[in-house]
Amino acid sequence: MLRRIGCGLAALLLTAGLATPGLARELPHRLHIEPYDGGKQIQVIVGFIITRAECRHLIAAYRERAKGGQVSVHRPIDSKSRGRGPWCVDNLDGRGVTFNDDLFDWEPYSGAERRR
């Protein structure tokens, strides 16, 4: 019974984006870190199109390290250009993760599968 509750809780945390058991480490990415508003601005840069859940997991992995600053995930704007932009951002102001959907050319994708 306790095992079932523990598995359910873990699934709930993953769905909510509050736990990141290895997912963020599995996604190839690099960091750009600068001082920002008493903390750090951490830009997580990925070279492929990712899902919303993957974006949330990457932010969750670096939230503590930002110490009250900002964490954002930058990804390609579309499949043709080399330009990148901030797709999801957490300003660590209590509002949570926001997505800049209007910056990107939307196309069907399936997250991590597209990196190959």
Side-chain angles (χ1 to χ4, degrees):
M1 172 94 173
L2 286 177
R3 186 175 188 180
R4 200 175 288 164
I5 291 171
C7 290
L9 181 59
L12 181 63
L13 289 173
L14 282 171
T15 303
L18 299 175
T20 57
L23 178 63
R25 287 188 300 267
E26 293 172 14
L27 291 170
H29 63 277
R30 60 188 171 87
L31 300 177
H32 178 79
I33 302 172
E34 293 185 9
Y36 180 82
D37 200 26
K40 295 179 183 176
Q41 179 185 52
I42 300 177
Q43 294 179 5
V44 182
I45 302 163
V46 295
F48 48 90
I49 297 173
I50 60 175
T51 65
R52 287 177 180 266
E54 290 169 329
C55 208
R56 285 186 185 99
H57 285 293
L58 284 165
I59 283 182
Y62 294 103
R63 234 182 227 121
E64 276 188 44
R65 195 165 160 189
K67 300 180 193 267
Q70 180 191 67
V71 182
S72 60
V73 177
H74 296 241
R75 69 154 180 95
I77 292 174
D78 60 29
S79 60
K80 298 172 191 95
S81 74
R82 296 180 55 90
R84 290 190 176 89
W87 186 36
C88 65
V89 178
D90 189 342
N91 291 315
L92 305 176
D93 57 4
R95 295 182 191 171
V97 177
T98 58
F99 287 84
N100 294 316
D101 293 334
D102 56 334
L103 294 177
F104 296 88
D105 177 27
W106 286 102
E107 59 184 62
Y109 63 89
S110 57
E113 295 172 13
R114 292 283 305 252
R115 4 181 180 147
R116 304 205 193 290

